[in-house]
Amino acid sequence: QVQLVESGGGLVQPGGSLRLSCAASGFTFEMYDMSWYLQAPGKQRELVAAITSGGTTNYADSVKGRFTISRDNAKNTVYLQMNSLKPEDTAVYFCNAARVRLGRRINYWGQGTQVTVSS
């Protein structure tokens, strides 16, 4: 059974930091590209940061220099370190695992964790 379980969200003041974690199980974690997405109320889900199975990272322009994505294949976990948080970072953050196998894209999602940036 595939599971992606996010944790680490919460309420933080502007300028503060949070570290999100996503614990994966039920699939071969090291073979998957891992990503974090956010979804603000009334808006579409959008990519925040991604890390490939080989460790290459990319970020949305809005978070470059503030957020860092990393993965620990020994722990089947991907992280999102979020610094210098802004009110506009407020959203539900989702973990995603993806790969292409035999020409078919496989996609798994977590249930999301709420991040609220407010004074």
Side-chain angles (χ1 to χ4, degrees):
Q1 180 184 359
V2 171
Q3 280 194 311
L4 292 173
V5 181
E6 300 100 332
S7 61
L11 173 64
V12 64
Q13 291 188 342
S17 297
L18 284 175
R19 188 172 88 150
L20 305 183
S21 300
C22 172
S25 60
F27 61 97
T28 310
F29 178 79
E30 60 265 28
M31 298 185 72
Y32 281 70
D33 299 336
M34 300 299 297
S35 303
W36 287 96
Y37 285 73
L38 66 80
Q39 188 165 20
K43 296 190 177 181
Q44 288 191 332
R45 198 170 294 188
E46 59 186 67
L47 179 67
V48 176
I51 183 166
T52 67
S53 58
T56 301
T57 59
N58 70 280
Y59 299 90
D61 287 343
S62 59
V63 306
K64 282 180 181 175
R66 299 190 298 124
F67 290 10
T68 303
I69 189 171
S70 61
R71 64 190 297 160
D72 185 336
N73 288 341
K75 295 182 178 179
N76 286 0
T77 301
V78 61
Y79 304 97
L80 185 67
Q81 178 66 44
M82 304 188 294
N83 299 328
S84 303
L85 281 160
K86 304 175 181 181
E88 51 264 41
D89 295 321
T90 295
V92 179
Y93 284 71
F94 295 89
C95 177
N96 172 267
R99 68 170 293 196
V100 176
R101 186 170 183 271
L102 300 177
R104 185 173 68 93
R105 184 173 177 86
I106 302 170
N107 232 354
Y108 302 128
W109 291 95
Q111 81 290 348
T113 185
Q114 176 70 47
V115 171
T116 302
V117 184
S118 175
S119 54

